[in-house]
Amino acid sequence: MNTGSDDPGLGSRAPEFVRARRLLHRGWQAGVFVIGLAVVIAGVALLPLPGPGWVVIFAGMAIWATEFVWAQLVLRWTKRKVTAAAQRALEPEVRRRNIALTATGAVIVVVLGTVYLVRFGPVPPWRTGGR
């Protein structure tokens, strides 16, 4: 059965008995789509909240990729980009820049923390007001 791609790694991963029956396969695809959509929406909701938002979004994409070629291609592209970024981050000049930026940020945080402590003492910021 043609899965919509010439690449043997792409296409539906539904069991053969599901793929062999068109109506059952469409229902299977609808179920996979709905479950993947729910996971992606949960991931989007977690982006501004504390939680692993991007991990959940990619989990939803992985669910979609079990059935849809477009999701498989998106995940392959994402994996290539993340791998390239990780390799680039290991280059010596990039590492030196990242270390310098981290050190600069740490110095700024220490200076601002010291200024705060000198001015207000060890009082939480929400208690520095008029009352």
Side-chain angles (χ1 to χ4, degrees):
M1 174 178 242
N2 188 356
T3 58
S5 173
D6 296 333
D7 188 340
L10 296 176
S12 176
R13 291 186 177 61
E16 185 60 40
F17 76 91
V18 171
R19 284 184 283 155
R21 291 159 182 84
R22 183 172 171 80
L23 186 61
L24 185 58
H25 193 218
R26 291 294 179 208
W28 179 277
Q29 287 180 322
V32 167
F33 183 80
V34 167
I35 291 169
L37 182 64
V39 173
V40 168
I41 289 171
V44 170
L46 285 174
L47 287 176
L49 301 172
W54 284 110
V55 173
V56 175
I57 290 171
F58 288 124
M61 289 295 298
I63 291 169
W64 280 338
T66 64
E67 199 56 37
F68 302 108
V69 173
W70 62 267
Q72 293 165 4
L73 295 173
V74 167
L75 283 178
R76 284 184 180 185
W77 178 85
T78 303
K79 184 177 179 183
R80 280 194 312 270
K81 293 297 181 181
V82 167
T83 302
Q87 289 300 319
R88 202 180 80 218
L90 295 175
E91 294 173 2
E93 59 274 358
V94 174
R95 290 190 69 198
R96 280 192 295 275
R97 184 198 66 206
N98 289 344
I99 290 170
L101 288 172
T102 301
T104 303
V107 168
I108 291 170
V109 167
V110 168
V111 168
L112 291 175
T114 303
V115 168
Y116 176 84
L117 287 174
V118 167
R119 178 159 178 163
F120 299 109
V123 177
W126 54 88
R127 297 235 172 112
T128 59
R131 288 189 189 186

